[in-house]
Amino acid sequence: MEKYFHSSIYFICILLLYLNKMSAQVYINQAGYLNNLPKIFYTNVAADSFYIVEASTNNILFRDELILSISNDPATGLTLYRGDFSSLQRDGNYFIRVGNVDSSFVFNISQNSFDDAYKKSLKGFYFQRCGSALISTYAGVYNHPACHLSDAAFHSSIGETGQKQTTGGWHDAGDYGKYVVNAGITVGTLLMAYEMFPVKFDQDNLNIPESGNGVPDILDEVRYELEWLLKMQNANGGVYFKVTKEQFESIVLPNNDSGTRYIYAISSTATGDFAAIMARAGRIFKSIDTSFSNKCLNASLLAWNYLTSNPTIIPAGGFKNPTGTVTGEYGDGNDSDERLWAAAEIYSTTGDAIYKSYFESHYTSGGIINSTMGWPNVKDLAQLTYLTCNQSSASTSVKSQIKNSLISYCNGLVNRTTANGFGVAINPGEYYWGSNADVLNKAVLLIYTYEQTKNNNYYDAALMQLNYILGTNAHNLSFVTGVGNKSVMHPHHRPSWADGIIAPVPGLLAGGPDQYLDDAILKANFTSSTPPALCYLDNNDSYASNEIAINWNAPLVFVLGYFNGDGLTSVNDQGFNSVPQKFELDQNYPNPFNPSTKINWQSPVGGHQTLKVYDVLGNEVATLVDEYREAGRYEIDFNVAQSAAVDIPASGVYFYRLQAEEFVQTKKMIYLK
Ligand code: 9MR
Ligand code: ZN
């Protein structure tokens, strides 16, 4: 009897230890940490110290104290501690030990830690492509035949009959619909990333069909959507709202989805977003493909004309699903922000006074920057475009008002991070459907503010938002499929659900906690008293917390690509970015080279540098650089350099090769004489 009693006590002790172990957590950014950037983790274990242990040797390389982050975090109900190991700048694989027993996943410190996550997040858009086959060369096991090749018939509600060719573009989300409004902010955000940071977003090796064509893959991928969007415009300039079925699809691969897809009414929010992104595309594609650039700009101006001849919102009150249609509504009763954004983009592209004056007479209405952008609210995108536009006629006083407004809004965001256990810039009450994208859009604003001020508080706060998405959250989960040790496995994403493959399509961001419990399975698991950040389920049925969507992936690409680019450079006393750590000769575009083509490179060492052009047989045909240069980033104008040197004999394929001390890199160029 006594023996029996002892063994049950023993059993209970083991059980308690086990439960305790279950709840003890060490939360890290599961993508890893960039060598030169801040390194923060969290834990709910109350211990004095933490240790960074090298995984291969079990050697402790670093010890420091844990600091209380917050007791009874209102967002999670947890008491959280944080640790900072920013000063450990040694490449390797590590885990964090807190107290005596509790440890984190193994993670990596290097200058490339975000590269895989960044590339996956951008490639995620390729997997959303509609209207063309995803072949295994690019899609691997996720290949499937082309889908939705009959897009689409005019819906009976709109008073037009017949079909309009609207194939292509990306599926919006976990469903197979295509919605112009949501495409608007998505394309706007991706183009903004490229335009602000062209060197960080210039990869041409994502293994999409256009990779290696000399145009950065981010632009090729966006163009796939733009080509579809162009088909969504009516000859009168107005843009149709969406292409969907009347009901959401069943759980099938896109190529197995049958039933009629319809084009719904022209809308002024769709038309405003369209005008904005087409103007932006016109600007960015100008040096890459002139005729495409012109096409985009003309479509934008035509859309603007439609807006000016229809000064009040179309349809009245904003787009609503007709009876019998239940697909996404993207309901928005206010089109003034879409109009403002269109004006800002067209002005930034053309410099035309009409758009400048439209912007300047509307940009303060409702406040300059006092909220975070999202699909119904694109005002910030308008403000940021004016703030950073290159037109010499732009008003410096308007720019400085926008800048001040941005800074004061972001000061508020930084303050919020101190009231949240994981340093997240959203408050309880704001964990809406798609909260993860709101977190990342806040990071985008913080990055802009950092770029305007070079104050590291904004930079560090932006990075904390990304850490949250990649693992420093109450779920100890990476919200991005295929990234990290423990990531979303059951997204509400029809292809991932229907394909019979265990791992979901990689690179896709789950919507995240939704405290308003907008689906049945959330309602069944949580209540209104559940801490808001806990209202999340990695379950296919939870469309309100575990769907994926293009407008959520876009700020993920922006933020990951931004920090990824910084990982490739080192910190010094002057701040980030001054001396590159990595030797890199950029693949330039346009190919063929034209007179304004730039050649960019960076070298981590000073020394003698040569940049020479060779023909396909390896004969040297031109010298562009041949001199001592300090470590740093460089850009030369191809034409100027080339005319000062040996003349390239004939049109054709050549290679340009950079050598700086022991570093050598070669890239391909097509030259038209
Ligand atoms: O992202 C949208 C979210 O803000 C709304 O609250 C929600 C309900 O209207 O709709 C979300 O968008 C969905 C769209 O309507 C249809 N495709 C999937 C989108 C992501 O869930
Ligand atoms: Zn499709």
Side-chain angles (χ1 to χ4, degrees):
M1 175 66 202
E2 203 184 32
K3 190 172 168 228
Y4 194 71
F5 176 76
H6 278 298
S7 64
S8 31
I9 292 276
Y10 178 76
F11 175 72
I12 288 168
C13 288
I14 294 287
L15 183 73
L16 285 175
L17 265 174
Y18 178 69
L19 287 175
N20 184 52
K21 175 76 189 158
M22 286 285 286
S23 58
Q25 302 282 344
V26 182
Y27 312 92
I28 60 165
N29 180 331
Q30 295 179 25
Y33 291 85
L34 294 176
N35 212 321
N36 53 323
L37 300 192
K39 301 176 192 70
I40 306 290
F41 77 96
Y42 295 85
T43 179
N44 61 353
V45 181
D48 294 334
S49 300
F50 70 91
Y51 306 88
I52 310 286
V53 185
E54 186 172 44
S56 58
T57 60
N58 273 332
N59 289 338
I60 293 175
L61 290 193
F62 188 93
R63 185 209 78 87
D64 208 338
E65 263 141 50
L66 284 172
I67 310 286
L68 178 67
S69 173
I70 201 164
S71 307
N72 295 316
D73 176 22
T76 60
L78 297 169
T79 290
L80 291 163
Y81 306 85
R82 60 183 249 152
D84 182 341
F85 56 106
S86 301
S87 57
L88 178 61
Q89 301 202 342
R90 180 176 174 276
D91 283 11
N93 292 320
Y94 306 92
F95 61 88
I96 301 171
R97 217 182 71 212
V98 172
N100 290 325
V101 282
D102 300 305
S103 40
S104 72
F105 297 117
V106 172
F107 63 88
N108 162 271
I109 295 181
S110 79
Q111 66 180 57
N112 302 317
S113 298
F114 290 176
D115 205 51
D116 177 65
Y118 162 61
K119 287 183 175 147
K120 280 180 177 154
S121 67
L122 184 50
K123 176 101 181 235
F125 286 89
Y126 166 76
F127 288 113
Q128 293 295 99
R129 287 191 189 187
C130 181
S132 59
L134 303 195
I135 62 170
S136 57
T137 317
Y138 312 112
V141 291
Y142 305 105
N143 69 84
H144 65 72
C147 55
H148 305 123
L149 292 170
S150 323
D151 282 350
F154 288 111
H155 193 259
S156 58
S157 60
I158 73 172
E160 282 181 72
T161 52
Q163 293 267 137
K164 180 167 165 52
Q165 224 259 30
T166 49
T167 50
W170 300 313
H171 300 136
D172 184 60
D175 64 321
Y176 296 137
K178 302 187 289 196
Y179 306 80
V180 171
V181 162
N182 209 39
I185 186 165
T186 305
V187 167
T189 302
L190 294 172
L191 290 180
M192 176 165 89
Y194 178 76
E195 195 173 20
M196 291 299 291
F197 310 106
V199 176
K200 294 182 181 190
F201 290 91
D202 72 352
Q203 302 78 11
D204 195 19
N205 60 358
L206 248 80
N207 192 29
I208 61 173
E210 300 81 5
S211 292
N213 67 355
V215 176
D217 282 340
I218 191 171
L219 297 183
D220 288 323
E221 194 55 57
V222 163
R223 182 167 176 167
Y224 193 82
E225 182 78 342
L226 289 166
E227 300 279 10
W228 164 68
L229 283 159
L230 287 166
K231 300 175 188 172
M232 292 296 284
Q233 187 173 37
N234 182 286
N236 69 6
V239 178
Y240 298 102
F241 192 78
K242 65 175 176 179
V243 174
T244 72
K245 297 210 291 194
E246 292 185 323
Q247 312 285 322
F248 284 117
E249 305 80 11
S250 50
I251 308 306
V252 292
L253 283 170
N255 48 293
N256 294 333
D257 175 36
S258 54
T260 313
R261 284 156 65 92
Y262 296 100
I263 298 173
Y264 289 81
I266 287 176
S267 115
S268 57
T269 54
T271 307
D273 281 338
F274 176 99
I277 56 180
M278 286 299 166
R280 187 160 218 157
R283 190 159 80 236
I284 293 172
F285 281 91
K286 193 168 174 148
S287 62
I288 294 171
D289 181 337
T290 322
S291 77
F292 182 66
S293 153
N294 290 337
K295 192 172 174 187
C296 292
L297 183 57
N298 290 337
S300 168
L301 297 175
L302 190 64
W304 179 265
N305 287 344
Y306 177 88
L307 293 173
T308 50
S309 34
N310 294 279
T312 50
I313 190 165
I314 305 259
F319 178 85
K320 291 272 177 316
N321 275 330
T323 312
T325 294
V326 302
T327 50
E329 196 164 67
Y330 288 109
D332 178 3
N334 181 347
D335 68 3
S336 63
D337 52 314
E338 286 81 8
R339 290 170 189 262
L340 187 74
W341 188 27
E345 297 295 350
I346 302 175
Y347 170 59
S348 176
T349 302
T350 64
D352 193 319
I354 296 173
Y355 309 100
K356 176 180 193 281
S357 92
Y358 184 95
F359 180 86
E360 289 175 2
S361 46
H362 292 88
Y363 77 106
T364 57
S365 99
I368 301 178
I369 293 181
N370 48 14
S371 59
T372 299
M373 60 282 208
W375 61 261
N377 175 9
V378 291
K379 178 172 71 171
D380 295 352
L381 301 181
Q383 310 288 7
L384 295 175
T385 291
Y386 191 100
L387 174 63
T388 54
C389 85
N390 290 328
Q391 294 299 341
S392 55
S393 59
S395 152
T396 48
S397 101
V398 171
K399 282 193 174 185
S400 76
Q401 284 176 56
I402 297 173
K403 179 174 167 179
N404 291 338
S405 179
L406 175 67
I407 292 172
S408 94
Y409 182 66
C410 283
N411 288 342
L413 295 184
V414 171
N415 286 339
R416 284 152 169 243
T417 64
T418 61
N420 179 289
F422 287 108
V424 185
I426 61 177
N427 288 334
E430 297 173 336
Y431 288 79
Y432 293 106
W433 190 322
S435 63
N436 280 345
D438 189 37
V439 169
L440 288 166
N441 278 317
K442 288 180 159 65
V444 169
L445 294 175
L446 289 161
I447 287 170
Y448 264 89
T449 309
Y450 168 72
E451 290 293 330
Q452 292 284 320
T453 60
K454 297 289 167 184
N455 174 335
N456 283 338
N457 291 339
Y458 305 112
Y459 190 96
D460 297 354
L463 184 54
M464 271 189 255
Q465 310 313 299
L466 182 63
N467 288 341
Y468 167 81
I469 296 298
L470 296 175
T472 65
N473 56 63
H475 309 275
N476 211 340
L477 178 77
S478 160
F479 284 116
V480 182
T481 56
V483 173
N485 319 64
K486 183 187 164 212
S487 58
V488 171
M489 287 301 289
H490 309 287
H492 182 88
H493 179 239
R494 281 171 177 70
S496 298
W497 199 345
D499 64 9
I501 297 164
I502 290 174
V505 171
L508 302 174
L509 174 70
D514 170 17
Q515 72 179 100
Y516 298 100
L517 310 180
D518 292 298
D519 63 44
I521 188 161
L522 286 176
K523 284 195 179 82
N525 281 270
F526 307 111
T527 70
S528 58
S529 49
T530 308
L534 301 189
C535 300
Y536 166 81
L537 290 171
D538 183 10
N539 185 306
N540 298 129
D541 289 321
S542 184
Y543 52 82
S545 79
N546 213 32
E547 188 162 357
I548 67 94
I550 56 172
N551 64 314
W552 303 340
N553 249 65
L556 177 68
V557 168
F558 187 114
V559 176
L560 266 173
Y562 177 83
F563 287 115
N564 180 47
D566 281 353
L568 306 176
T569 62
S570 67
V571 206
N572 65 13
D573 296 343
Q574 283 80 52
F576 300 101
N577 293 334
S578 25
V579 177
Q581 246 179 25
K582 195 179 159 202
F583 179 76
E584 198 163 67
L585 173 64
D586 296 353
Q587 172 67 58
N588 286 285
Y589 63 87
N591 261 327
F593 274 38
N594 74 21
S596 61
T597 302
K598 307 267 189 263
I599 299 178
N600 291 280
W601 72 94
Q602 59 182 31
S603 173
V605 295
H608 193 86
Q609 296 191 1
T610 56
L611 179 62
K612 295 183 171 180
V613 180
Y614 297 85
D615 66 17
V616 286
L617 299 174
N619 302 313
E620 185 181 318
V621 295
T623 297
L624 307 181
V625 171
D626 186 0
E627 65 201 18
Y628 178 86
R629 291 194 175 216
E630 299 291 347
R633 289 185 193 283
Y634 293 100
E635 177 177 277
I636 58 166
D637 188 305
F638 168 68
N639 195 47
V640 170
Q642 182 252 340
S643 62
V646 187
D647 199 18
I648 295 179
S651 299
V653 174
Y654 293 88
F655 296 92
Y656 55 104
R657 177 177 188 268
L658 177 71
Q659 174 147 26
E661 298 298 312
E662 74 270 30
F663 301 103
V664 183
Q665 244 181 58
T666 303
K667 292 281 153 95
K668 186 167 147 183
M669 63 182 269
I670 296 161
Y671 179 68
L672 274 190
K673 187 138 175 107

